[in-house]
Amino acid sequence: METAVEVRDLVVTRGRRPVLHGISCTIPRGSITGLLGPSGSGKTTLLRAVVGVQVVAGGSVTVLGEPAGSPRLRRRVGYLTQAPSVYADLTVRENARYFARLHGLGAAEADRVLGAVGLADAAGQLVGTLSGGQRSRASLACALIGRPELLILDEPTVGQDPVLRNELWEMFRAMAADGCTLVVSSHVMDEAARCDRLLLIREGRLIADDTLAGIRAAAGTDDVEAAFLNLVRARATTPVSAEGGAR
Amino acid sequence: MNPTILAATTGRILRQLRHDRRTIALLAVVPTALLTLLYHMYADQPTAPGQPSAFDRIALVMLGVFPFIVMFLVTSIAMLRERTTGTLERLLTTPLGKLDLLFGYGLAFGLAATVQAGLAAGVAYWLFDLDTAGSPGLVVLISVVDAVLGVALGLLCSAFARTEFQAVQFMPVVVAPQILLCGLFVRRDQMAGWLGAVSDVLPLSYAVEALQEVGRHAEPTGTMWRDLAVVGGTIVVALVLGAATLRRRTG
């Protein structure tokens, strides 16, 4: 399968503290990859490196055949930040139209993405007056502008009610079927079942890069949360015996 | 720079302003209210024969200084908000260029400043009988250029502030010395040499001198055009430096 994102030995440090310790992985085109891990594990940092907004200390990230952050990728990659990044003092529609115009697109594209995230009825409302879930969907809508080939979504379903969450996942699935590559981070393990592949990350290291079935088999359990724990324990005991033996 | 993106960004900033009625009211009313205060302060002051009245002298300079202060503050906070709410990071992942953003701010707030300066000058001339030898149109033009200078310096300074508390404190640091040394309180040629030298490198000194030239001469003078060119050049340099402080990649 064709590769959308290739990460090689990626090292990111903040101050002197390493945040990512030499991560390597490949993400196939037209798939949904879930990036799962606890808060503070490095999910956002890894996603920012793929978008090309993170200063990296080592390694390489190649996105759609070009180095991450290349000017040409700015039309091909959509990015949803974890905190909603839309203008609170504009209406939902004004936000969408502004981001559409940055991509050289018109009002029809703005209306399309607002419909896609279920905000057509709230289009005339100021973002500052929206609920948290609506606000993050407004932000998601702006990331969908221009049908990007790669969509990086940092916790897109936080704060959404179960019905909406289901609809959003159905939309992600439809987009993947159309050839879009999605990378979706979450700290909710039960979203794992929605993804084609999973990256489990903890303390800046990947502890698994596999399909859900593969991870279940390797960890010897069907529950993703339990699998995560098993893999963490396995890593703590196997590689360095002196360190592991002390625990 | 891309004209479509620049226009979209200018429009977006003006739309944000439009939703903020209170800010619009403040922009419109504050300079006019301060001029009113000034008028009554100097109402009973004697005027030496052959000299402009104290109100004429000070109000003329203030028509340049008020928009400069207001736009510096408004812009540095607006840009800081772009940084802290994550919209700046998002914008820099789109086809928008850094100069599109900074010149968008310059244009949008420049337009707002035109309305503000027009109102303030209108009140000064019609209500308070401000008397200048030169044309009121030139006074408005210089006020607007002053306001855009405030915008450009505000954008640049916001790069050095992490919080709104810090951004607000750049106002006295950047703006107050320029007002003290611009020639309003002590004539620039009467200052100690080193103060004169400092005054010579502060852009507001040129803006104020340009206004004083309009006050004294019926026709635009070469000094006035030179001063205006200095302020215009400073604006472009500040915007380009501001663009250089925007980093697509951050830690």
Side-chain angles (χ1 to χ4, degrees):
Chain A
M1 200 183 258
E2 245 190 303
T3 301
V5 179
E6 181 162 14
V7 179
R8 281 279 154 264
D9 306 318
L10 178 65
V11 178
V12 173
T13 53
R14 190 161 295 139
R16 285 198 180 157
R17 201 171 57 91
V19 185
L20 297 180
H21 309 254
I23 283 187
S24 296
C25 59
T26 56
I27 293 169
R29 283 203 197 213
S31 67
I32 302 180
T33 299
L35 177 60
L36 301 182
S39 174
S41 57
K43 296 190 297 290
T44 296
T45 307
L46 177 55
L47 294 181
R48 292 183 78 238
V50 172
V51 177
V53 295
Q54 175 69 50
V55 174
V56 304
S60 68
V61 183
T62 308
V63 175
L64 305 172
E66 308 209 33
S70 312
R72 266 180 298 184
L73 289 175
R74 286 182 207 136
R75 294 184 180 280
R76 303 171 68 196
V77 178
Y79 174 38
L80 173 73
T81 51
Q82 191 169 1
S85 49
V86 277
Y87 296 98
D89 46 3
L90 289 181
T91 65
V92 175
R93 184 186 290 116
E94 286 169 337
N95 268 289
R97 287 194 177 173
Y98 175 53
F99 285 101
R101 285 192 67 195
L102 294 183
H103 285 87
L105 299 167
E109 176 67 0
D111 292 343
R112 179 189 73 83
V113 294
L114 291 181
V117 300
L119 277 182
D121 291 339
Q125 234 178 298
L126 281 181
V127 167
T129 65
L130 297 177
S131 71
Q134 286 176 314
R135 195 188 278 226
S136 72
R137 272 185 286 144
S139 193
L140 174 62
C142 295
L144 302 177
I145 296 274
R147 302 180 190 269
E149 291 166 59
L150 173 66
L151 201 47
I152 305 293
L153 304 176
D154 200 350
E155 311 229 349
T157 58
V158 168
Q160 306 298 343
D161 78 65
V163 177
L164 268 167
R165 214 160 73 151
N166 191 48
E167 285 174 12
L168 288 178
W169 276 106
E170 279 171 5
M171 175 178 74
F172 298 158
R173 179 51 63 198
M175 291 170 69
D178 281 344
C180 178
T181 309
L182 294 95
V183 183
V184 182
S185 81
S186 177
H187 62 262
V188 188
M189 297 293 171
D190 64 7
E191 295 200 313
R194 309 276 199 163
C195 303
D196 299 313
R197 293 188 67 82
L198 296 175
L199 298 169
L200 300 192
I201 186 170
R202 184 171 185 271
E203 294 177 348
R205 291 188 170 86
L206 279 187
I207 57 174
D209 173 4
D210 206 341
T211 60
L212 179 59
I215 287 174
R216 281 175 170 157
T221 168
D222 271 0
D223 179 61
V224 185
E225 188 108 27
F228 192 95
L229 281 174
N230 287 356
L231 290 168
V232 169
R233 286 200 195 102
R235 271 184 85 90
T237 48
T238 46
V240 188
S241 56
E243 196 185 347
R247 299 209 176 167
Chain B
M1 276 195 282
N2 171 323
T4 313
I5 291 180
L6 179 62
T9 303
T10 307
R12 183 266 293 175
I13 296 163
L14 286 173
R15 260 178 221 107
Q16 286 180 283
L17 205 55
R18 204 186 60 197
H19 286 295
D20 188 352
R21 299 266 163 80
R22 198 172 297 183
T23 294
I24 295 181
L26 287 170
L27 286 177
V29 169
V30 169
T32 306
L34 291 174
L35 279 174
T36 310
L37 189 67
L38 211 57
Y39 178 74
H40 289 290
M41 274 167 63
Y42 287 102
D44 297 327
Q45 293 284 316
T47 302
Q51 292 290 313
S53 74
F55 174 76
D56 280 355
R57 192 169 61 83
I58 296 171
L60 177 62
V61 171
M62 286 304 157
L63 282 176
V65 171
F66 291 150
F68 173 71
I69 300 176
V70 171
M71 288 301 162
F72 179 88
L73 264 181
V74 169
T75 317
S76 51
I77 299 289
M79 190 63 191
L80 191 74
R81 269 203 224 156
E82 292 257 19
R83 287 176 199 274
T84 53
T85 59
T87 48
L88 178 64
E89 174 162 303
R90 168 174 241 163
L91 287 177
L92 293 178
T93 67
T94 70
L96 168 128
K98 296 172 186 174
L99 287 178
D100 292 324
L101 181 63
L102 292 183
F103 280 83
Y105 268 104
L107 277 176
F109 286 136
L111 282 172
T114 307
V115 176
Q116 187 186 46
L119 275 173
V123 167
Y125 278 99
W126 310 128
L127 234 51
F128 301 142
D129 295 320
L130 175 65
D131 187 26
T132 54
S135 140
L138 283 174
V139 172
V140 172
L141 170 72
I142 298 169
S143 306
V144 171
V145 173
D146 275 2
V148 178
L149 176 68
V151 171
L153 292 179
L155 288 172
L156 180 58
C157 289
S158 78
F160 303 101
R162 303 203 94 134
T163 64
E164 293 178 356
F165 281 157
Q166 294 174 4
V168 169
Q169 295 188 73
F170 275 115
M171 212 275 280
V173 173
V174 175
V175 173
Q178 299 206 57
I179 294 175
L180 292 177
L181 296 177
C182 73
L184 175 65
F185 298 100
V186 178
R187 285 175 51 134
R188 290 171 61 211
D189 52 17
Q190 291 171 0
M191 288 179 193
W194 66 277
L195 279 178
V198 175
S199 171
D200 283 348
V201 297
L202 297 177
L204 194 64
S205 306
Y206 296 88
V208 167
E209 189 180 59
L211 284 167
Q212 289 167 337
E213 287 288 297
V214 179
R216 278 195 294 265
H217 303 280
E219 293 300 317
T221 63
T223 309
M224 187 211 83
W225 289 120
R226 187 212 60 189
D227 289 340
L228 216 45
V230 170
V231 178
T234 310
I235 291 169
V236 172
V237 170
L239 288 177
V240 170
L241 284 178
T245 65
L246 297 181
R247 294 265 171 267
R248 286 190 196 265
R249 279 182 192 270
T250 53

